[in-house]
Amino acid sequence: MPIDAASWYEQDPHGESFYQGDVVRDVPVVLMPPAGDAPWTLLRPSPPHTVEQVLAGQTPRTLKPHPESSRPDAWRLGAEIVLAKGIKAPAMVVTQTCDLDSRNWIQLAPVFPASKIEDPRKRASLGVNEIGYMFILPADPPRLAEDSYADLSMITAVHKSYLRRGGLVVRLKSPIRALYQRHLANLHGRPFSFNVHDIVPETGPYGCHNCYLRHGRITRAELVEGQPCTACPSCGEEALWIMFGE
Ligand SMILES: [Zn+2]
């Protein structure tokens, strides 16, 4: 399947509800400071306010920055008001579709332009979607101006209110959403398989994980891209298909 907008995205998605894999616009993401000894900048209120009061929600007149290393009492309360860098970028929904309505906090991966990657070999690997912690998002102007990627190494939690009506940028087609799910599953090292409710992401030979785990049996089938995953000839609807390697 070519990696282009026509293969990747739904043509005219509705924006009433959201799905795993949706790219949404302008979500603020707070970035951790780089690792190191005491890299945080703490914000301390001027008297009469105390850190405890500010943490409880009071607004002080001023907040002064202090390098973490200069304050022996840093994190004394197990919490601090900190200076942090935030970016506002498009972001891709990581949380499973069925959990989006029931959770207050959802996981998103920020989306960046592919041109941000300087190493040409890395950019080429992204071009064929072979980088485990990135998922390619081909350009689809004017919705998505240039080739981009979701950075799955920077998955972050935001309140669900950031999924706003009218905030949808692009929505993956079902077979591509299945590819994205496989990408996420591989990234987190879990065994993964497709069941009879999934769409086959790629034509090829598959084996049934359920037959193997429960009966020590190898059951093979040829599955066809874009078609629903078939039931297993041995275990029927319990089929869990995994693709055989090259
Ligand atoms: Zn089976």
Side-chain angles (χ1 to χ4, degrees), residues 19-55:
Y19 293 82
Q20 186 180 37
D22 281 356
V23 175
V24 293
R25 72 179 95 251
D26 289 347
V27 179
V29 172
V30 176
L31 304 179
M32 293 279 287
D37 290 333
W40 290 89
T41 298
L42 312 182
L43 298 176
R44 291 290 172 88
S46 47
H49 281 98
T50 63
V51 177
E52 283 91 333
Q53 287 171 332
V54 179
L55 285 170

Side-chain angles (χ1 to χ4, degrees), residues 17 31 43 110 128 168 184 190-191 195 234 236 242 245:
S17 47
L31 304 179
L43 298 176
V128 288
L168 181 67
L184 287 172
R190 282 178 281 137
N195 63 39
S234 287
I242 45 176

